[in-house]
Amino acid sequence: MDNQTIKQLLNTGILAGKIMMESGSEMYRIQDTIERILRKGGLSQPEVFLTPTGIFVTARDIFYIKMAEVHHSAINLEKVTKVNALSRQFSDNQISLDELQNGLRDINSNTSDFPLWLKLLGAFVISCTLMILFIGKYDWFDFFQAGFIGLFGYLVFNYLNNVVEIQFISEFIASVLIALAAIGLRQLNLINNLNYLIIGSVMPLVPGVALTNALRDLIAGHLISGLARMVAGTLSALAIGGGIAVVLRFLL
């Protein structure tokens, strides 16, 4: 295998892994995808080392090592699905290495996120339905109020996350505003139970996917990434709970 092909293979594996990591995939899935690409490309003993902020790829029978820094992480499972599909097509000889690399670049550049209106609709549905689920009884009087406050809180979080780019601050401020809005509705006698309303409204902010992936990474043996993601998820939960607690402590 010539040096140019080896470099292209490493670059393609790195690109696939970086897209998946930035889209919120589990570490073991990223490692499996990169190793599958490298083995199919002709590297018999690939070596892949992953951290939450970096990817290192090489093989025992070559003298090259490729690394990439991961600056941010979000949840976009559509990208993860598309990368998995492309890597399997490459493994089944349906596409060439050039087609795989071009396809990954297209996924990285042209795969759009869900529109904001759809995210807000999801936040509305999650807030009012999970309120019913967690309290264990039907509270129809607070049903729509929980949905609208959850929608409002997620809108604030989404805006601040794009401006501040520090997720914990965005979650704290959004949870503070959710608690203030809930207290305001209670002062106007528009809700029955303040606690039920807040429980449902903060659900769109809870990092459920991140915590689930952290646990799966720990089970799969990726201790560094699992612990790092678990700490990040815990800090998010503390930010959300802290914002609610501050408002309730000083206004009630």
Side-chain angles (χ1 to χ4, degrees):
M1 185 183 300
D2 61 273
N3 292 337
Q4 189 63 34
T5 303
I6 293 175
K7 291 179 180 179
Q8 183 183 10
L9 192 58
L10 294 178
N11 286 333
T12 303
I14 280 283
L15 179 58
K18 186 174 182 180
I19 294 172
M20 295 179 71
M21 188 176 292
E22 290 180 344
S23 301
S25 178
E26 308 93 322
M27 290 296 181
Y28 73 87
R29 191 186 302 275
I30 299 171
Q31 182 173 4
D32 177 71
T33 300
I34 297 175
E35 289 179 350
R36 187 189 309 123
I37 292 173
L38 297 184
R39 285 197 182 96
K40 186 61 181 178
L43 301 180
S44 58
Q45 294 180 307
E47 298 283 353
V48 180
F49 180 74
L50 303 173
T51 73
T53 56
I55 304 173
F56 302 82
V57 177
T58 186
R60 295 183 185 178
D61 49 356
I62 64 174
F63 299 98
Y64 298 99
I65 182 171
K66 180 71 177 179
M67 65 167 292
E69 186 177 5
V70 179
H71 298 283
H72 64 87
S73 179
I75 303 299
N76 192 331
L77 300 183
E78 184 177 0
K79 283 189 175 183
V80 177
T81 301
K82 288 183 176 181
V83 171
N84 269 328
L86 269 181
S87 67
R88 295 184 186 279
Q89 290 176 13
F90 179 67
S91 298
D92 295 336
N93 295 318
Q94 297 177 13
I95 59 175
S96 65
L97 180 59
D98 290 332
E99 291 173 326
L100 173 61
Q101 191 174 42
N102 292 332
L104 291 173
R105 289 171 178 168
D106 182 66
I107 292 172
N108 194 35
S109 303
N110 300 323
T111 301
S112 59
D113 200 359
F114 291 107
L116 180 59
W117 69 266
L118 188 57
K119 291 182 179 181
L120 295 178
L121 178 61
F124 178 92
V125 174
I126 288 172
S127 299
C128 50
T129 54
L130 288 185
M131 180 190 71
I132 299 296
L133 178 65
F134 279 112
I135 67 178
K137 63 180 180 179
Y138 296 103
D139 183 4
W140 299 115
F141 186 79
D142 296 333
F143 188 80
F144 291 104
Q145 291 91 321
F148 282 115
I149 292 182
L151 181 153
F152 165 71
Y154 184 81
L155 180 62
V156 171
F157 166 75
N158 185 77
Y159 172 76
L160 292 176
N161 216 27
N162 293 327
V163 175
V164 181
E165 295 185 352
I166 300 177
Q167 183 174 338
F168 310 124
I169 295 178
S170 304
E171 290 166 337
F172 180 82
I173 296 176
S175 63
V176 166
L177 294 179
I178 286 174
L180 290 174
I183 292 175
L185 289 182
R186 194 182 74 162
Q187 295 296 326
L188 296 174
N189 294 320
L190 296 178
I191 60 173
N192 281 333
N193 193 295
L194 178 67
N195 294 330
Y196 294 170
L197 192 76
I198 292 177
I199 288 173
S201 300
V202 300
M203 284 300 109
L205 305 180
V206 175
V209 175
L211 290 173
T212 302
N213 287 347
L215 184 59
R216 296 181 70 174
D217 284 340
L218 288 173
I219 294 174
H222 293 274
L223 301 182
I224 296 177
S225 61
L227 290 174
R229 287 181 169 182
M230 187 67 71
V231 169
T234 302
L235 289 176
S236 293
L238 290 175
I240 296 169
I244 299 295
V246 166
V247 174
L248 297 183
R249 171 65 178 81
F250 291 102
L251 294 185
L252 291 182

